Amino acid sequence: MRYLPHSEAERAEMLGVIGAANVDALFSAVPAKALKSFDLGLPAHSPEFLVEAHMKALAAKNHAGSDGPFFVGAGAYRHHVPATVDHLIQRSEWLTAYTPYQPEISQGTLQMLFEFQTQVAKLTGMDVANASLYDGSTGTAEAVLMARRLTRRNKVVLSGGLHPHYRDVVRAYLKDDADLDCLSASPEGQGDILDHIDENTAAIVVQTPDFYGHLRNIKAAADAAHAKGALLIVVITEVVSLGLLEAPGALGADIVVAEGQSIGNALNFGGPYLGLMATRKEFIRQMPGRLCGETVDAEGQRGFVLTLSTREQHIRREKATSNICTNSGLCALAFSIHMALLGEAGFTRLARLNHARACELADALAGVEGVEVLNKTFFNELTIRTAQPAADLVERLAKRGILAGVPVSRLEPSNPEVTNLIVLAATELTTDTDIAALCSALSEELA
């Protein structure tokens, strides 16, 4: 039974205070399409087991990612999550009734976050990492604000290879600031962000592998940025790539932001996700979020504490570096456990397997008439140009049970140059049968 504490009179009073005539008026900003209700076909009264059976029948109409060939990526990836991860994250050691930063009652959570930070710092090749953010896109926006504070400059340049959603989130944070320079989409990897750096630039933001799957030259970007006194922010949407690619920190990155969903976290209809952020030691006090540290108590016993928190709850509001007030604790725990299960060697093997599957996919697609593979370098994701508009083609393949990737026009609807482009991803779960089914169906649809 739902607990509704407010009476009709109280609800009317609240609506009156905010100036809304009724509840529908309160939600008038939400598009009608999104609010459209539908009949679930349930009677007013029915036994629980019949309701359960009815809902299962409705759920069975969904097409899950594991139901057939699956090549969807573009920032969210289908990887195998060991059953051990889900089992361990449910143990009572991790449960807390309150914010998990009270050292006297939450040593397990604090230790986990400390180890999570250590894993992220080692993966990215940076000095320090925070205790997770909401996701990669908001982490990118926070990194941009951080770079502005550090350099006391305003101009920020976003690469044309940055994920369109990440670009839009940064725009939302900066409210279309005139000093924000968003380069045009660069699906064939020819865009050069280095030409846009000048003495007013706070930071450039480069994604690698970029949205279209191309690998980017981080060292050259870092050298060019530093020569003008700017910072380099490196964005990574597929964190498994760090199992093969050199760590951004070793190549000169100043801030690294990544989406950690690929490790320990399933797709789950789009969230919750896990933001990773790491930076250099000298920048630590401008890093948003929290940092957990290791220490000893008065008796010399090892313990973990909240070491740094540059947010308004713990310091004066005017000193706060961010309004991000909660980390993705459960997702960070799943990440940390999965990484511990893999180990360094296992993580590298996982990355090699992903790349090998993508190479097989690229080779097979290159043999399909009407398909052009645009990438010369890639990790586990690539872009193809098809002889027909991609959105319609992907829709027809979906009706055949094949989720053939993301049509770029879905994320870049105002750009006619990407109408025939599809971004496809391969992971360790991609099989030879999946690739053969995709290529066969593409050949038939493009004939």
Side-chain angles (χ1 to χ4, degrees):
M1 177 181 291
R2 297 173 64 196
Y3 174 63
L4 302 174
H6 303 299
S7 66
E8 286 294 338
E10 289 169 329
R11 281 194 283 272
E13 182 180 358
M14 288 188 287
L15 289 169
V17 169
I18 61 177
N22 49 49
V23 174
D24 290 340
L26 180 63
F27 295 103
S28 61
V30 180
K33 183 179 178 182
L35 286 174
K36 184 179 179 181
S37 60
F38 56 92
D39 184 5
L40 291 174
L42 287 171
H45 303 281
S46 181
E48 182 177 321
F49 63 91
L50 289 182
V51 173
E52 184 179 358
H54 183 76
M55 299 305 288
K56 282 184 176 179
L58 291 176
K61 295 181 178 180
N62 290 326
H63 183 98
S66 58
D67 288 346
F70 184 94
F71 299 91
V72 178
Y77 304 92
R78 184 172 72 108
H79 290 284
H80 172 65
V81 179
T84 310
V85 173
D86 283 340
H87 174 73
L88 290 178
I89 64 174
Q90 297 178 62
R91 287 179 61 94
S92 60
E93 290 92 327
W94 312 114
L95 301 182
T96 175
Y98 187 53
T99 183
Y101 297 110
Q102 312 307 315
E104 69 280 11
I105 60 173
S106 304
Q107 279 295 291
T109 295
L110 286 166
Q111 179 176 352
M112 177 278 292
L113 290 175
F114 178 79
E115 294 176 359
F116 166 81
Q117 293 167 181
T118 305
Q119 292 167 339
V120 174
K122 291 192 69 172
L123 276 176
T124 55
M126 304 301 286
D127 297 326
V128 292
N130 65 17
S132 88
L133 298 174
Y134 283 128
D135 57 29
S137 63
T138 52
T140 302
E142 291 288 344
V144 167
L145 298 177
M146 177 180 165
R148 281 183 159 189
R149 293 192 298 269
L150 286 166
T151 61
R152 299 180 184 275
R153 301 176 178 178
N154 284 330
K155 180 179 175 182
V156 176
V157 188
L158 305 184
S159 162
L162 183 65
H163 193 297
H165 284 170
Y166 286 43
R167 177 198 61 207
D168 293 344
V169 169
V170 174
R171 276 178 169 165
Y173 262 62
L174 269 59
K175 297 181 174 59
D176 284 329
D177 192 313
D179 288 317
L180 181 62
D181 187 359
C182 300
L183 304 189
S184 300
S186 180
E188 298 194 65
Q190 300 301 314
D192 194 348
I193 194 173
L194 307 188
D195 297 337
H196 293 254
I197 308 172
D198 58 31
E199 286 74 11
N200 298 317
T201 306
I204 60 172
V205 182
V206 176
Q207 180 177 326
T208 186
D210 70 13
F211 174 70
Y212 303 94
H214 307 290
L215 302 182
R216 294 296 185 178
N217 188 338
I218 298 302
K219 183 68 168 58
D223 291 344
H226 295 161
K228 298 290 185 180
L231 302 182
L232 172 65
I233 300 172
V234 174
V235 175
I236 301 165
T237 60
E238 174 52 292
V239 72
V240 176
S241 66
L242 292 176
L244 279 184
L245 304 180
E246 190 164 6
L251 298 172
D254 298 293
I255 306 171
V256 180
V257 178
E259 173 51 61
Q261 172 267 320
S262 288
I263 301 297
N265 293 276
L267 290 174
N268 293 325
F269 292 96
Y273 279 2
L274 170 64
L276 316 181
M277 176 180 277
T279 190
R280 303 192 180 284
K281 188 175 181 180
E282 58 266 34
F283 299 155
I284 190 171
R285 288 196 173 275
Q286 290 299 330
M287 185 167 61
R290 300 181 173 100
L291 196 76
C292 293
E294 180 183 21
T295 187
V296 292
D297 64 14
E299 299 176 350
Q301 299 295 314
R302 183 187 186 218
F304 298 89
V305 295
L306 178 61
T307 304
L308 188 66
S309 182
T310 53
R311 53 177 284 249
E312 73 279 7
Q313 184 180 347
H314 298 95
I315 62 177
R316 292 204 308 272
R317 179 174 293 275
E318 61 272 21
K319 296 281 187 180
T321 60
S322 171
N323 288 319
I324 284 185
C325 58
T326 300
N327 70 63
S328 294
L330 186 62
C331 298
L333 173 61
F335 178 99
S336 191
I337 291 173
H338 194 179
M339 284 298 297
L341 291 171
L342 285 168
E344 188 172 343
F347 187 62
T348 300
R349 282 198 298 273
L350 176 64
R352 289 189 186 283
L353 185 54
N354 273 252
H355 182 56
R357 295 273 81 181
C359 290
E360 293 163 8
L361 174 63
D363 290 345
L365 289 170
V368 177
E369 189 170 348
V371 172
E372 177 189 4
V373 178
L374 301 186
N375 302 68
K376 291 182 173 56
T377 60
F378 56 86
F379 171 61
N380 71 344
E381 200 159 23
L382 48 93
T383 301
I384 61 172
R385 176 180 286 117
T386 59
Q388 299 177 13
D392 292 340
L393 182 59
V394 167
E395 190 66 27
R396 297 203 300 274
L397 291 171
K399 291 178 179 176
R400 300 172 65 151
I402 300 171
L403 301 183
V406 177
V408 180
S409 59
R410 179 178 172 188
L411 304 183
E412 299 273 14
S414 61
N415 185 353
E417 295 183 5
V418 302
T419 302
N420 287 24
L421 302 185
I422 305 174
V423 174
L424 301 97
T427 70
E428 73 279 6
L429 298 178
T430 306
T431 66
D432 292 343
T433 303
D434 294 339
I435 295 174
L438 171 66
C439 292
S440 175
L442 269 174
S443 296
E444 293 174 12
E445 294 291 342
L446 293 172

